[in-house]
Short mmCIF file of all heavy atoms in Angstrom, two decimals:
data_model
loop_
_atom_site.label_atom_id
_atom_site.label_comp_id
_atom_site.label_asym_id
_atom_site.label_seq_id
_atom_site.Cartn_x
_atom_site.Cartn_y
_atom_site.Cartn_z
N MET A 26 -24.96 -28.98 -29.01
CA MET A 26 -25.47 -30.16 -29.68
C MET A 26 -25.28 -31.41 -28.83
O MET A 26 -26.15 -32.25 -28.74
CB MET A 26 -24.78 -30.32 -31.02
CG MET A 26 -25.22 -31.57 -31.75
SD MET A 26 -24.42 -31.68 -33.34
CE MET A 26 -23.98 -33.38 -33.33
N PHE A 27 -24.11 -31.52 -28.20
CA PHE A 27 -23.83 -32.72 -27.42
C PHE A 27 -24.65 -32.78 -26.15
O PHE A 27 -24.95 -33.85 -25.65
CB PHE A 27 -22.33 -32.85 -27.14
CG PHE A 27 -21.55 -33.13 -28.38
CD1 PHE A 27 -20.79 -32.16 -28.99
CD2 PHE A 27 -21.61 -34.38 -28.96
CE1 PHE A 27 -20.10 -32.43 -30.15
CE2 PHE A 27 -20.91 -34.66 -30.12
CZ PHE A 27 -20.15 -33.68 -30.72
N ILE A 28 -25.03 -31.61 -25.64
CA ILE A 28 -25.92 -31.61 -24.47
C ILE A 28 -27.27 -32.18 -24.87
O ILE A 28 -27.88 -32.93 -24.12
CB ILE A 28 -26.03 -30.19 -23.90
CG1 ILE A 28 -24.68 -29.75 -23.34
CG2 ILE A 28 -27.11 -30.12 -22.83
CD1 ILE A 28 -24.62 -28.30 -22.92
N GLN A 29 -27.73 -31.85 -26.06
CA GLN A 29 -29.00 -32.39 -26.54
C GLN A 29 -28.91 -33.91 -26.71
O GLN A 29 -29.85 -34.62 -26.38
CB GLN A 29 -29.39 -31.74 -27.86
CG GLN A 29 -30.74 -32.20 -28.37
CD GLN A 29 -31.12 -31.48 -29.66
OE1 GLN A 29 -30.34 -30.74 -30.22
NE2 GLN A 29 -32.32 -31.74 -30.11
N ILE A 30 -27.80 -34.41 -27.19
CA ILE A 30 -27.62 -35.85 -27.33
C ILE A 30 -27.67 -36.52 -25.96
O ILE A 30 -28.28 -37.58 -25.80
CB ILE A 30 -26.29 -36.16 -28.05
CG1 ILE A 30 -26.39 -35.74 -29.52
CG2 ILE A 30 -25.93 -37.63 -27.95
CD1 ILE A 30 -25.10 -35.85 -30.29
N ARG A 31 -27.06 -35.90 -24.98
CA ARG A 31 -27.11 -36.46 -23.62
C ARG A 31 -28.54 -36.42 -23.08
O ARG A 31 -28.93 -37.30 -22.32
CB ARG A 31 -26.15 -35.71 -22.71
CG ARG A 31 -24.71 -36.04 -23.05
CD ARG A 31 -23.72 -35.48 -22.08
NE ARG A 31 -24.04 -35.89 -20.73
CZ ARG A 31 -23.88 -35.11 -19.68
NH1 ARG A 31 -23.43 -33.89 -19.83
NH2 ARG A 31 -24.16 -35.55 -18.47
N ASN A 32 -29.32 -35.40 -23.44
CA ASN A 32 -30.72 -35.34 -23.00
C ASN A 32 -31.54 -36.47 -23.59
O ASN A 32 -32.57 -36.85 -23.03
CB ASN A 32 -31.35 -33.99 -23.37
CG ASN A 32 -30.79 -32.86 -22.53
OD1 ASN A 32 -30.27 -33.08 -21.44
ND2 ASN A 32 -30.90 -31.65 -23.04
N TRP A 33 -31.13 -37.00 -24.73
CA TRP A 33 -31.82 -38.14 -25.34
C TRP A 33 -31.48 -39.45 -24.62
O TRP A 33 -32.04 -40.49 -24.95
CB TRP A 33 -31.45 -38.28 -26.80
CG TRP A 33 -31.95 -37.17 -27.68
CD1 TRP A 33 -32.98 -36.31 -27.43
CD2 TRP A 33 -31.42 -36.81 -28.94
NE1 TRP A 33 -33.12 -35.43 -28.46
CE2 TRP A 33 -32.17 -35.71 -29.42
CE3 TRP A 33 -30.38 -37.29 -29.72
CZ2 TRP A 33 -31.93 -35.10 -30.64
CZ3 TRP A 33 -30.14 -36.69 -30.93
CH2 TRP A 33 -30.91 -35.61 -31.38
N GLY A 34 -30.55 -39.41 -23.69
CA GLY A 34 -30.18 -40.60 -22.93
C GLY A 34 -29.03 -41.39 -23.52
O GLY A 34 -28.75 -42.51 -23.08
N LEU A 35 -28.34 -40.83 -24.51
CA LEU A 35 -27.20 -41.53 -25.12
C LEU A 35 -25.95 -41.28 -24.29
O LEU A 35 -25.69 -40.16 -23.85
CB LEU A 35 -26.99 -41.04 -26.55
CG LEU A 35 -28.16 -41.30 -27.50
CD1 LEU A 35 -27.88 -40.66 -28.85
CD2 LEU A 35 -28.39 -42.78 -27.67
N THR A 36 -25.18 -42.32 -24.08
CA THR A 36 -23.96 -42.21 -23.29
C THR A 36 -22.74 -42.42 -24.18
O THR A 36 -22.85 -42.89 -25.32
CB THR A 36 -23.94 -43.25 -22.16
OG1 THR A 36 -23.91 -44.56 -22.75
CG2 THR A 36 -25.17 -43.12 -21.27
N SER A 37 -21.58 -42.11 -23.63
CA SER A 37 -20.35 -42.30 -24.39
C SER A 37 -20.12 -43.78 -24.69
O SER A 37 -19.64 -44.13 -25.78
CB SER A 37 -19.16 -41.73 -23.61
OG SER A 37 -19.03 -42.36 -22.36
N SER A 38 -20.50 -44.65 -23.79
CA SER A 38 -20.33 -46.09 -24.01
C SER A 38 -21.13 -46.56 -25.22
O SER A 38 -20.67 -47.43 -25.98
CB SER A 38 -20.78 -46.88 -22.78
OG SER A 38 -20.00 -46.54 -21.68
N MET A 39 -22.30 -45.99 -25.40
CA MET A 39 -23.12 -46.36 -26.55
C MET A 39 -22.43 -45.99 -27.86
O MET A 39 -22.47 -46.74 -28.84
CB MET A 39 -24.48 -45.68 -26.48
CG MET A 39 -25.37 -46.18 -25.39
SD MET A 39 -26.89 -45.22 -25.41
CE MET A 39 -27.72 -45.93 -24.00
N PHE A 40 -21.77 -44.83 -27.88
CA PHE A 40 -21.06 -44.43 -29.08
C PHE A 40 -19.84 -45.30 -29.33
O PHE A 40 -19.52 -45.62 -30.48
CB PHE A 40 -20.66 -42.95 -28.99
CG PHE A 40 -21.78 -42.02 -29.31
CD1 PHE A 40 -22.54 -41.46 -28.31
CD2 PHE A 40 -22.10 -41.71 -30.62
CE1 PHE A 40 -23.59 -40.60 -28.58
CE2 PHE A 40 -23.14 -40.86 -30.93
CZ PHE A 40 -23.89 -40.30 -29.91
N TYR A 41 -19.14 -45.70 -28.26
CA TYR A 41 -17.99 -46.58 -28.44
C TYR A 41 -18.42 -47.94 -28.98
O TYR A 41 -17.77 -48.50 -29.87
CB TYR A 41 -17.23 -46.75 -27.12
CG TYR A 41 -16.54 -45.49 -26.65
CD1 TYR A 41 -16.53 -45.13 -25.32
CD2 TYR A 41 -15.87 -44.66 -27.55
CE1 TYR A 41 -15.89 -43.98 -24.88
CE2 TYR A 41 -15.22 -43.51 -27.12
CZ TYR A 41 -15.24 -43.18 -25.80
OH TYR A 41 -14.60 -42.05 -25.38
N VAL A 42 -19.53 -48.46 -28.47
CA VAL A 42 -20.05 -49.75 -28.96
C VAL A 42 -20.49 -49.61 -30.41
O VAL A 42 -20.21 -50.48 -31.24
CB VAL A 42 -21.20 -50.25 -28.06
CG1 VAL A 42 -21.91 -51.43 -28.70
CG2 VAL A 42 -20.67 -50.62 -26.68
N ALA A 43 -21.17 -48.51 -30.73
CA ALA A 43 -21.61 -48.29 -32.11
C ALA A 43 -20.41 -48.20 -33.05
O ALA A 43 -20.47 -48.68 -34.20
CB ALA A 43 -22.44 -47.01 -32.20
N SER A 44 -19.31 -47.65 -32.58
CA SER A 44 -18.10 -47.57 -33.39
C SER A 44 -17.57 -48.96 -33.71
O SER A 44 -17.22 -49.26 -34.87
CB SER A 44 -17.05 -46.75 -32.65
OG SER A 44 -15.84 -46.76 -33.35
N MET A 45 -17.50 -49.81 -32.71
CA MET A 45 -17.02 -51.18 -32.94
C MET A 45 -17.98 -51.96 -33.84
O MET A 45 -17.55 -52.73 -34.69
CB MET A 45 -16.82 -51.90 -31.61
CG MET A 45 -15.70 -51.32 -30.77
SD MET A 45 -14.13 -51.21 -31.66
CE MET A 45 -13.81 -52.91 -32.02
N VAL A 46 -19.28 -51.75 -33.65
CA VAL A 46 -20.27 -52.43 -34.49
C VAL A 46 -20.09 -52.00 -35.95
O VAL A 46 -20.19 -52.83 -36.87
CB VAL A 46 -21.70 -52.14 -33.99
CG1 VAL A 46 -22.75 -52.57 -35.01
CG2 VAL A 46 -21.93 -52.83 -32.66
N SER A 47 -19.81 -50.72 -36.18
CA SER A 47 -19.63 -50.26 -37.56
C SER A 47 -18.40 -50.92 -38.20
O SER A 47 -18.42 -51.23 -39.39
CB SER A 47 -19.52 -48.75 -37.63
OG SER A 47 -18.28 -48.29 -37.17
N VAL A 48 -17.36 -51.16 -37.42
CA VAL A 48 -16.18 -51.84 -37.95
C VAL A 48 -16.53 -53.28 -38.33
O VAL A 48 -16.21 -53.75 -39.44
CB VAL A 48 -15.01 -51.80 -36.94
CG1 VAL A 48 -13.89 -52.72 -37.38
CG2 VAL A 48 -14.52 -50.40 -36.75
N PHE A 49 -17.20 -53.99 -37.43
CA PHE A 49 -17.57 -55.38 -37.73
C PHE A 49 -18.58 -55.46 -38.88
O PHE A 49 -18.50 -56.36 -39.71
CB PHE A 49 -18.13 -56.07 -36.48
CG PHE A 49 -17.09 -56.29 -35.42
CD1 PHE A 49 -17.24 -55.75 -34.16
CD2 PHE A 49 -15.94 -57.01 -35.69
CE1 PHE A 49 -16.28 -55.95 -33.17
CE2 PHE A 49 -14.96 -57.21 -34.73
CZ PHE A 49 -15.14 -56.67 -33.46
N PHE A 50 -19.51 -54.50 -38.93
CA PHE A 50 -20.49 -54.46 -40.01
C PHE A 50 -19.78 -54.21 -41.34
O PHE A 50 -20.13 -54.80 -42.37
CB PHE A 50 -21.54 -53.41 -39.72
CG PHE A 50 -22.71 -53.40 -40.65
CD1 PHE A 50 -23.42 -54.56 -40.91
CD2 PHE A 50 -23.11 -52.23 -41.26
CE1 PHE A 50 -24.50 -54.55 -41.77
CE2 PHE A 50 -24.19 -52.21 -42.12
CZ PHE A 50 -24.89 -53.38 -42.38
N SER A 51 -18.79 -53.34 -41.34
CA SER A 51 -18.02 -53.06 -42.54
C SER A 51 -17.31 -54.31 -43.05
O SER A 51 -17.32 -54.62 -44.24
CB SER A 51 -17.01 -51.96 -42.25
OG SER A 51 -16.14 -51.78 -43.33
N ILE A 52 -16.69 -55.04 -42.13
CA ILE A 52 -16.01 -56.29 -42.51
C ILE A 52 -17.01 -57.31 -43.04
O ILE A 52 -16.74 -58.00 -44.03
CB ILE A 52 -15.22 -56.84 -41.30
CG1 ILE A 52 -14.06 -55.89 -40.97
CG2 ILE A 52 -14.69 -58.24 -41.59
CD1 ILE A 52 -13.38 -56.17 -39.66
N ALA A 53 -18.17 -57.38 -42.40
CA ALA A 53 -19.19 -58.33 -42.85
C ALA A 53 -19.68 -57.98 -44.25
O ALA A 53 -19.87 -58.87 -45.09
CB ALA A 53 -20.36 -58.34 -41.87
N ILE A 54 -19.91 -56.71 -44.51
CA ILE A 54 -20.34 -56.29 -45.85
C ILE A 54 -19.29 -56.68 -46.88
O ILE A 54 -19.61 -57.21 -47.95
CB ILE A 54 -20.60 -54.77 -45.89
CG1 ILE A 54 -21.84 -54.42 -45.09
CG2 ILE A 54 -20.75 -54.28 -47.33
CD1 ILE A 54 -22.02 -52.93 -44.88
N TRP A 55 -18.04 -56.44 -46.56
CA TRP A 55 -16.97 -56.76 -47.50
C TRP A 55 -16.87 -58.27 -47.71
O TRP A 55 -16.70 -58.74 -48.83
CB TRP A 55 -15.65 -56.20 -46.99
CG TRP A 55 -14.51 -56.57 -47.85
CD1 TRP A 55 -14.15 -55.99 -49.04
CD2 TRP A 55 -13.58 -57.64 -47.61
NE1 TRP A 55 -13.05 -56.62 -49.54
CE2 TRP A 55 -12.68 -57.64 -48.69
CE3 TRP A 55 -13.43 -58.57 -46.60
CZ2 TRP A 55 -11.65 -58.55 -48.78
CZ3 TRP A 55 -12.39 -59.47 -46.69
CH2 TRP A 55 -11.52 -59.45 -47.76
N ALA A 56 -16.96 -59.04 -46.63
CA ALA A 56 -16.78 -60.48 -46.72
C ALA A 56 -17.96 -61.19 -47.38
O ALA A 56 -17.79 -62.22 -48.02
CB ALA A 56 -16.56 -61.05 -45.32
N LEU A 57 -19.14 -60.63 -47.22
CA LEU A 57 -20.35 -61.30 -47.73
C LEU A 57 -20.81 -60.76 -49.08
O LEU A 57 -21.97 -60.92 -49.42
CB LEU A 57 -21.49 -61.15 -46.71
CG LEU A 57 -21.25 -61.80 -45.36
CD1 LEU A 57 -22.38 -61.46 -44.42
CD2 LEU A 57 -21.09 -63.30 -45.50
N ARG A 58 -19.92 -60.18 -49.83
CA ARG A 58 -20.29 -59.61 -51.12
C ARG A 58 -21.11 -60.61 -51.92
O ARG A 58 -20.59 -61.35 -52.75
CB ARG A 58 -19.04 -59.24 -51.90
CG ARG A 58 -18.19 -58.22 -51.21
CD ARG A 58 -16.88 -58.13 -51.88
NE ARG A 58 -16.17 -59.41 -51.65
CZ ARG A 58 -14.89 -59.61 -51.80
NH1 ARG A 58 -14.14 -58.66 -52.23
NH2 ARG A 58 -14.34 -60.78 -51.57
N LEU A 59 -22.40 -60.64 -51.64
CA LEU A 59 -23.27 -61.69 -52.19
C LEU A 59 -23.45 -61.58 -53.69
O LEU A 59 -23.48 -62.58 -54.39
CB LEU A 59 -24.63 -61.63 -51.48
CG LEU A 59 -24.58 -61.90 -49.98
CD1 LEU A 59 -25.97 -61.74 -49.38
CD2 LEU A 59 -24.04 -63.28 -49.69
N GLN A 60 -23.60 -60.39 -54.20
CA GLN A 60 -23.81 -60.23 -55.63
C GLN A 60 -22.46 -60.15 -56.33
O GLN A 60 -21.74 -59.18 -56.21
CB GLN A 60 -24.62 -58.96 -55.91
CG GLN A 60 -25.99 -58.99 -55.32
CD GLN A 60 -26.72 -57.68 -55.55
OE1 GLN A 60 -26.14 -56.73 -56.05
NE2 GLN A 60 -27.98 -57.65 -55.19
N LYS A 61 -22.14 -61.19 -57.03
CA LYS A 61 -20.82 -61.24 -57.68
C LYS A 61 -20.71 -60.22 -58.80
O LYS A 61 -19.62 -59.82 -59.17
CB LYS A 61 -20.56 -62.64 -58.19
CG LYS A 61 -20.47 -63.67 -57.09
CD LYS A 61 -20.10 -65.02 -57.64
CE LYS A 61 -20.17 -66.10 -56.60
NZ LYS A 61 -19.29 -65.98 -55.50
N THR A 62 -21.85 -59.78 -59.34
CA THR A 62 -21.79 -58.81 -60.44
C THR A 62 -21.53 -57.40 -59.96
O THR A 62 -21.09 -56.57 -60.73
CB THR A 62 -23.13 -58.83 -61.22
OG1 THR A 62 -24.18 -58.50 -60.32
CG2 THR A 62 -23.37 -60.19 -61.83
N ASP A 63 -21.79 -57.13 -58.69
CA ASP A 63 -21.65 -55.77 -58.19
C ASP A 63 -20.69 -55.71 -56.99
O ASP A 63 -20.93 -55.00 -56.03
CB ASP A 63 -23.02 -55.22 -57.80
CG ASP A 63 -23.07 -53.70 -57.84
OD1 ASP A 63 -22.12 -53.10 -58.38
OD2 ASP A 63 -24.04 -53.13 -57.33
N ARG A 64 -19.61 -56.44 -57.07
CA ARG A 64 -18.63 -56.47 -55.97
C ARG A 64 -18.02 -55.11 -55.67
O ARG A 64 -17.85 -54.76 -54.52
CB ARG A 64 -17.54 -57.48 -56.27
CG ARG A 64 -17.95 -58.88 -55.97
CD ARG A 64 -16.78 -59.80 -56.08
NE ARG A 64 -17.21 -61.15 -55.70
CZ ARG A 64 -16.41 -62.16 -55.67
NH1 ARG A 64 -15.14 -62.02 -55.98
NH2 ARG A 64 -16.86 -63.34 -55.32
N PRO A 65 -17.66 -54.32 -56.69
CA PRO A 65 -17.06 -53.01 -56.36
C PRO A 65 -17.99 -52.13 -55.53
O PRO A 65 -17.54 -51.44 -54.62
CB PRO A 65 -16.78 -52.38 -57.72
CG PRO A 65 -16.63 -53.54 -58.64
CD PRO A 65 -17.60 -54.58 -58.13
N ALA A 66 -19.28 -52.17 -55.81
CA ALA A 66 -20.23 -51.36 -55.04
C ALA A 66 -20.30 -51.85 -53.59
O ALA A 66 -20.36 -51.05 -52.66
CB ALA A 66 -21.61 -51.40 -55.68
N ALA A 67 -20.28 -53.15 -53.40
CA ALA A 67 -20.31 -53.71 -52.04
C ALA A 67 -19.04 -53.33 -51.28
O ALA A 67 -19.10 -53.01 -50.10
CB ALA A 67 -20.48 -55.23 -52.10
N GLU A 68 -17.91 -53.37 -51.96
CA GLU A 68 -16.65 -52.98 -51.31
C GLU A 68 -16.66 -51.51 -50.93
O GLU A 68 -16.24 -51.15 -49.84
CB GLU A 68 -15.47 -53.30 -52.22
CG GLU A 68 -15.22 -54.79 -52.36
CD GLU A 68 -14.10 -55.11 -53.31
OE1 GLU A 68 -13.52 -54.18 -53.90
OE2 GLU A 68 -13.81 -56.30 -53.48
N ARG A 69 -17.17 -50.66 -51.82
CA ARG A 69 -17.24 -49.23 -51.50
C ARG A 69 -18.20 -48.98 -50.34
O ARG A 69 -17.92 -48.14 -49.48
CB ARG A 69 -17.67 -48.44 -52.74
CG ARG A 69 -16.57 -48.29 -53.77
CD ARG A 69 -16.94 -47.30 -54.85
NE ARG A 69 -18.13 -47.68 -55.58
CZ ARG A 69 -18.15 -48.42 -56.68
NH1 ARG A 69 -17.01 -48.85 -57.18
NH2 ARG A 69 -19.28 -48.69 -57.29
N PHE A 70 -19.32 -49.70 -50.31
CA PHE A 70 -20.26 -49.54 -49.20
C PHE A 70 -19.62 -50.00 -47.90
O PHE A 70 -19.81 -49.37 -46.85
CB PHE A 70 -21.56 -50.30 -49.48
CG PHE A 70 -22.60 -50.08 -48.43
CD1 PHE A 70 -23.11 -48.82 -48.19
CD2 PHE A 70 -23.09 -51.13 -47.69
CE1 PHE A 70 -24.07 -48.60 -47.21
CE2 PHE A 70 -24.06 -50.94 -46.71
CZ PHE A 70 -24.55 -49.67 -46.48
N GLY A 71 -18.86 -51.08 -47.94
CA GLY A 71 -18.14 -51.54 -46.74
C GLY A 71 -17.15 -50.51 -46.24
O GLY A 71 -17.04 -50.27 -45.04
N ILE A 72 -16.45 -49.87 -47.14
CA ILE A 72 -15.51 -48.81 -46.75
C ILE A 72 -16.27 -47.62 -46.17
O ILE A 72 -15.87 -47.04 -45.15
CB ILE A 72 -14.65 -48.37 -47.96
CG1 ILE A 72 -13.71 -49.51 -48.35
CG2 ILE A 72 -13.88 -47.09 -47.65
CD1 ILE A 72 -13.00 -49.29 -49.67
N PHE A 73 -17.40 -47.27 -46.79
CA PHE A 73 -18.21 -46.16 -46.30
C PHE A 73 -18.67 -46.41 -44.86
O PHE A 73 -18.56 -45.53 -44.00
CB PHE A 73 -19.42 -45.96 -47.23
CG PHE A 73 -20.42 -44.98 -46.72
CD1 PHE A 73 -20.13 -43.63 -46.68
CD2 PHE A 73 -21.66 -45.40 -46.27
CE1 PHE A 73 -21.06 -42.71 -46.22
CE2 PHE A 73 -22.59 -44.50 -45.79
CZ PHE A 73 -22.29 -43.15 -45.77
N VAL A 74 -19.16 -47.61 -44.60
CA VAL A 74 -19.61 -47.94 -43.24
C VAL A 74 -18.42 -47.94 -42.28
O VAL A 74 -18.54 -47.50 -41.14
CB VAL A 74 -20.35 -49.30 -43.23
CG1 VAL A 74 -20.65 -49.75 -41.82
CG2 VAL A 74 -21.64 -49.20 -44.03
N GLY A 75 -17.28 -48.40 -42.72
CA GLY A 75 -16.09 -48.40 -41.87
C GLY A 75 -15.62 -47.01 -41.50
O GLY A 75 -15.01 -46.82 -40.45
N LEU A 76 -15.94 -46.03 -42.32
CA LEU A 76 -15.55 -44.66 -42.02
C LEU A 76 -16.42 -44.02 -40.93
O LEU A 76 -16.10 -42.94 -40.44
CB LEU A 76 -15.60 -43.80 -43.29
CG LEU A 76 -14.53 -44.12 -44.32
CD1 LEU A 76 -14.76 -43.33 -45.59
CD2 LEU A 76 -13.15 -43.85 -43.76
N TRP A 77 -17.50 -44.67 -40.55
CA TRP A 77 -18.32 -44.16 -39.45
C TRP A 77 -17.59 -44.29 -38.12
O TRP A 77 -17.83 -43.51 -37.19
CB TRP A 77 -19.63 -44.92 -39.35
CG TRP A 77 -20.55 -44.81 -40.51
CD1 TRP A 77 -20.46 -43.96 -41.58
CD2 TRP A 77 -21.70 -45.61 -40.75
NE1 TRP A 77 -21.48 -44.18 -42.45
CE2 TRP A 77 -22.26 -45.19 -41.97
CE3 TRP A 77 -22.31 -46.64 -40.05
CZ2 TRP A 77 -23.41 -45.77 -42.49
CZ3 TRP A 77 -23.46 -47.21 -40.58
CH2 TRP A 77 -24.00 -46.78 -41.78
N ALA A 78 -16.74 -45.29 -37.99
CA ALA A 78 -16.09 -45.59 -36.70
C ALA A 78 -15.34 -44.39 -36.10
O ALA A 78 -15.56 -44.08 -34.93
CB ALA A 78 -15.17 -46.79 -36.84
N PRO A 79 -14.49 -43.69 -36.84
CA PRO A 79 -13.79 -42.56 -36.21
C PRO A 79 -14.73 -41.46 -35.75
O PRO A 79 -14.53 -40.87 -34.68
CB PRO A 79 -12.85 -42.05 -37.32
CG PRO A 79 -12.76 -43.14 -38.30
CD PRO A 79 -14.01 -43.94 -38.19
N THR A 80 -15.77 -41.20 -36.53
CA THR A 80 -16.73 -40.17 -36.14
C THR A 80 -17.44 -40.54 -34.85
O THR A 80 -17.60 -39.71 -33.95
CB THR A 80 -17.76 -39.95 -37.26
OG1 THR A 80 -17.07 -39.61 -38.46
CG2 THR A 80 -18.75 -38.86 -36.89
N LEU A 81 -17.86 -41.79 -34.75
CA LEU A 81 -18.54 -42.24 -33.54
C LEU A 81 -17.61 -42.23 -32.33
O LEU A 81 -18.03 -41.91 -31.21
CB LEU A 81 -19.13 -43.64 -33.76
CG LEU A 81 -20.28 -43.69 -34.78
CD1 LEU A 81 -20.59 -45.14 -35.14
CD2 LEU A 81 -21.50 -42.99 -34.25
N MET A 82 -16.34 -42.57 -32.54
CA MET A 82 -15.37 -42.53 -31.44
C MET A 82 -15.16 -41.10 -30.95
O MET A 82 -15.09 -40.85 -29.74
CB MET A 82 -14.02 -43.12 -31.88
CG MET A 82 -14.06 -44.60 -32.13
SD MET A 82 -14.22 -45.55 -30.64
CE MET A 82 -12.55 -45.55 -30.07
N ILE A 83 -15.06 -40.16 -31.87
CA ILE A 83 -14.88 -38.76 -31.48
C ILE A 83 -16.10 -38.26 -30.72
O ILE A 83 -15.97 -37.57 -29.69
CB ILE A 83 -14.60 -37.88 -32.72
CG1 ILE A 83 -13.21 -38.22 -33.28
CG2 ILE A 83 -14.72 -36.40 -32.39
CD1 ILE A 83 -12.93 -37.63 -34.63
N MET A 84 -17.29 -38.60 -31.21
CA MET A 84 -18.50 -38.19 -30.50
C MET A 84 -18.55 -38.82 -29.11
O MET A 84 -18.94 -38.15 -28.14
CB MET A 84 -19.74 -38.56 -31.31
CG MET A 84 -19.89 -37.74 -32.57
SD MET A 84 -21.30 -38.23 -33.58
CE MET A 84 -22.65 -37.73 -32.55
N GLY A 85 -18.15 -40.07 -29.00
CA GLY A 85 -18.10 -40.72 -27.70
C GLY A 85 -17.14 -40.04 -26.76
O GLY A 85 -17.43 -39.85 -25.57
N LYS A 86 -16.00 -39.62 -27.27
CA LYS A 86 -15.01 -38.93 -26.43
C LYS A 86 -15.52 -37.59 -25.96
O LYS A 86 -15.33 -37.20 -24.80
CB LYS A 86 -13.70 -38.77 -27.23
CG LYS A 86 -12.62 -38.03 -26.48
CD LYS A 86 -12.23 -38.73 -25.19
CE LYS A 86 -11.10 -37.98 -24.52
NZ LYS A 86 -11.04 -38.25 -23.09
N VAL A 87 -16.17 -36.85 -26.84
CA VAL A 87 -16.72 -35.54 -26.44
C VAL A 87 -17.78 -35.72 -25.37
O VAL A 87 -17.81 -34.98 -24.37
CB VAL A 87 -17.28 -34.80 -27.68
CG1 VAL A 87 -18.07 -33.57 -27.26
CG2 VAL A 87 -16.16 -34.42 -28.62
N ILE A 88 -18.66 -36.69 -25.54
CA ILE A 88 -19.70 -36.93 -24.54
C ILE A 88 -19.08 -37.43 -23.23
O ILE A 88 -19.52 -37.07 -22.14
CB ILE A 88 -20.77 -37.88 -25.09
CG1 ILE A 88 -21.54 -37.17 -26.20
CG2 ILE A 88 -21.71 -38.34 -24.00
CD1 ILE A 88 -22.55 -38.00 -26.90
N GLU A 89 -18.03 -38.25 -23.34
CA GLU A 89 -17.34 -38.71 -22.13
C GLU A 89 -16.76 -37.53 -21.36
O GLU A 89 -16.85 -37.47 -20.13
CB GLU A 89 -16.24 -39.69 -22.50
CG GLU A 89 -15.48 -40.24 -21.33
CD GLU A 89 -14.37 -41.19 -21.73
OE1 GLU A 89 -14.31 -41.59 -22.92
OE2 GLU A 89 -13.56 -41.53 -20.87
N ASP A 90 -16.17 -36.58 -22.08
CA ASP A 90 -15.65 -35.39 -21.42
C ASP A 90 -16.75 -34.60 -20.74
O ASP A 90 -16.58 -34.09 -19.64
CB ASP A 90 -14.90 -34.51 -22.43
CG ASP A 90 -13.61 -35.15 -22.92
OD1 ASP A 90 -13.14 -36.12 -22.27
OD2 ASP A 90 -13.09 -34.70 -23.95
N GLU A 91 -17.91 -34.48 -21.41
CA GLU A 91 -19.06 -33.80 -20.81
C GLU A 91 -19.55 -34.52 -19.57
O GLU A 91 -19.93 -33.90 -18.58
CB GLU A 91 -20.19 -33.67 -21.83
CG GLU A 91 -19.91 -32.73 -22.98
CD GLU A 91 -19.98 -31.28 -22.56
OE1 GLU A 91 -20.76 -30.93 -21.65
OE2 GLU A 91 -19.23 -30.48 -23.14
N GLU A 92 -19.54 -35.86 -19.63
CA GLU A 92 -19.99 -36.65 -18.48
C GLU A 92 -19.06 -36.43 -17.28
O GLU A 92 -19.51 -36.37 -16.15
CB GLU A 92 -20.03 -38.14 -18.83
CG GLU A 92 -21.12 -38.52 -19.79
CD GLU A 92 -20.99 -39.93 -20.34
OE1 GLU A 92 -19.94 -40.58 -20.13
OE2 GLU A 92 -21.95 -40.39 -20.99
N ARG A 93 -17.79 -36.31 -17.55
CA ARG A 93 -16.82 -36.11 -16.46
C ARG A 93 -16.95 -34.73 -15.83
O ARG A 93 -16.63 -34.55 -14.66
CB ARG A 93 -15.40 -36.32 -16.97
CG ARG A 93 -15.10 -37.75 -17.25
CD ARG A 93 -13.70 -37.95 -17.67
NE ARG A 93 -13.50 -39.36 -18.03
CZ ARG A 93 -12.34 -39.90 -18.21
NH1 ARG A 93 -11.24 -39.18 -18.08
NH2 ARG A 93 -12.23 -41.16 -18.53
N LEU A 94 -17.38 -33.75 -16.61
CA LEU A 94 -17.55 -32.39 -16.08
C LEU A 94 -18.74 -32.31 -15.11
O LEU A 94 -18.76 -31.45 -14.24
CB LEU A 94 -17.73 -31.39 -17.22
CG LEU A 94 -16.49 -31.08 -18.03
CD1 LEU A 94 -16.82 -30.14 -19.18
CD2 LEU A 94 -15.40 -30.48 -17.16
N ASP A 95 -19.72 -33.17 -15.33
CA ASP A 95 -20.93 -33.12 -14.48
C ASP A 95 -20.74 -33.80 -13.18
O ASP A 95 -20.24 -34.61 -12.73
CB ASP A 95 -22.12 -33.72 -15.21
CG ASP A 95 -22.59 -32.81 -16.32
OD1 ASP A 95 -22.24 -31.64 -16.30
OD2 ASP A 95 -23.31 -33.30 -17.21
#
């Protein structure tokens, strides 16, 4: 699967950047809870987006290892 991702032109750096973006996006969602009536849903969505970061970091590490083998 990761070889196919590399064939698409995605690099480990892109996954690391996406991981950091997901953290900042999560904080922004939490901080900008615009609808005061639905704050719990916004907070849960912020947590959900924040949980993407570890997955993206792991994928970046696996691709980085593949890049080093080549």
Side-chain angles (χ1 to χ4, degrees):
M26 177 178 136
F27 291 105
I28 294 172
Q29 184 178 6
I30 290 173
R31 289 188 54 217
N32 289 338
W33 293 339
L35 298 174
T36 64
S37 59
S38 298
M39 291 177 183
F40 280 96
Y41 292 139
V42 169
S44 174
M45 293 307 298
V46 167
S47 74
V48 170
F49 292 121
F50 189 52
S51 173
I52 293 169
I54 290 170
W55 176 79
L57 297 174
R58 300 168 292 197
L59 298 177
Q60 298 176 354
K61 296 185 187 297
T62 59
D63 204 12
R64 280 188 177 182
E68 289 177 359
R69 285 190 300 270
F70 185 61
I72 292 169
F73 172 71
V74 172
L76 290 174
W77 297 349
T80 303
L81 293 168
M82 291 289 280
I83 291 169
M84 290 177 69
K86 178 60 177 157
V87 170
I88 291 176
E89 181 181 349
D90 292 344
E91 292 286 328
E92 290 169 349
R93 288 183 184 192
L94 287 177
D95 288 342

